[in-house]
Amino acid sequence: MKEEGYLEWVDGEKRRSTLRNFNWFLLVNALFSVYLFFQRGQAFAAHSFAQLIGEMPAISAVIPVSALSYVVLRQLAPRGESAAWRGAVVSISLLALCWCAIFHHLIVNDLIYLVYPLTIGLLFSSLVAFYLSPKLFFLFSMPVLLVAIAENIFIRSAFSLANMISYALMLFLIYSAQRRLKQWFQLAIEREQENKRLIERLSKLAHRDPLTGIANRRYFDHYF
């Protein structure tokens, strides 16, 4: 296989693997939203369901956005990877905006204790889903992380060296984990190619006479 064709094949495998992981990422977002919805619902026990949605529009929006993204991607999949990829970019952008609004809601309502674990959960779930596509990963994670840090500093005036070290450590862990996962994928791809080449060589040896190089009876039977 030529080098140029091999690189294109690897890029295609990365895109297909990322799109396969996308459904799991949507499910994680919906589950986080359901948890927050019921957690906040306990604080508004006297409210009706419609009032709860009105009080928490961003939290309530994650579930329909995730469900709609799943349906749209299923419809775009037969049209090709490029169409599905564009749909994934739009879905990730909408989910990132929803989570930015959710973090603003939590910080304004003095629920900062929920922001840090949610940030970690969302970032690492996006890392698992999009470790082969840094563009998609940063498209989702950077707005969420920047809003969590900026609003924690400017709204709550919670600037401290310990907070900055904790966020820097989080960024280092995410970056190093993304590099390691990508290296493991590359290693798996290279081993798969080596196995294919080995199988082809064994097949040629099994179907050719070693002295003359002419196809033998085994190849004759296999061909017919």
Side-chain angles (χ1 to χ4, degrees):
M1 182 181 294
K2 296 181 180 181
E3 186 67 19
E4 183 179 354
Y6 172 76
L7 294 177
E8 292 176 354
W9 177 78
V10 170
D11 290 338
E13 286 295 311
K14 289 180 179 180
R15 288 193 296 270
R16 285 187 287 272
S17 179
T18 300
L19 291 174
R20 285 194 296 268
N21 292 336
F22 200 81
N23 293 338
W24 174 82
F25 176 73
L26 294 175
L27 177 62
V28 170
N29 277 262
L31 292 176
F32 276 133
S33 177
V34 169
Y35 163 74
L36 278 178
F37 186 80
F38 283 104
Q39 196 276 341
R40 295 298 294 140
Q42 293 178 356
F44 301 99
H47 289 54
S48 65
F49 184 76
Q51 288 174 323
L52 287 176
I53 294 178
E55 290 282 348
M56 302 169 290
I59 298 175
S60 307
V62 173
I63 297 176
V65 168
S66 300
L68 182 62
S69 299
Y70 174 79
V71 174
V72 170
L73 289 177
R74 290 291 297 270
Q75 296 296 320
L76 292 176
R79 301 184 183 181
E81 289 183 6
S82 59
W85 197 258
R86 288 193 294 269
V89 170
V90 174
S91 300
I92 290 174
S93 301
L94 291 175
L95 287 172
L97 291 175
C98 288
W99 284 110
C100 290
I102 289 171
F103 283 175
H104 174 75
H105 168 80
L106 295 176
I107 293 173
V108 167
N109 288 276
D110 200 23
L111 296 170
I112 191 64
Y113 67 92
L114 292 173
V115 173
Y116 194 77
L118 277 174
T119 304
I120 294 176
L122 289 170
L123 292 183
F124 276 96
S125 63
S126 63
L127 171 64
V128 172
F130 308 131
Y131 69 94
L132 293 174
S133 176
K135 291 181 180 179
L136 293 184
F137 171 68
F138 287 113
L139 180 63
F140 177 81
S141 62
M142 284 299 102
V144 172
L145 184 60
L146 290 177
V147 167
I149 295 175
E151 297 218 356
N152 191 26
I153 292 174
F154 294 110
I155 293 180
R156 298 186 69 253
S157 300
F159 177 81
S160 68
L161 181 61
N163 285 340
M164 292 298 100
I165 291 176
S166 66
Y167 284 118
L169 180 61
M170 183 193 305
L171 290 174
F172 170 76
L173 291 175
I174 291 172
Y175 176 74
S176 58
Q178 189 267 342
R179 292 291 301 274
R180 293 295 297 171
L181 289 172
K182 194 172 182 179
Q183 289 173 0
W184 290 340
F185 177 85
Q186 189 69 31
L187 181 61
I189 288 290
E190 292 174 358
R191 287 181 175 175
E192 181 180 352
Q193 287 297 302
E194 290 177 0
N195 290 336
K196 286 183 178 179
R197 287 193 291 267
L198 180 60
I199 291 173
E200 290 176 358
R201 288 185 59 189
L202 292 175
S203 178
K204 290 180 180 179
L205 290 174
H207 293 87
R208 299 282 174 178
D209 181 76
L211 180 62
T212 62
I214 300 174
N216 58 17
R217 176 59 184 270
R218 184 180 290 108
Y219 178 83
F220 178 84
D221 294 337
H222 174 74
Y223 182 83
F224 286 99

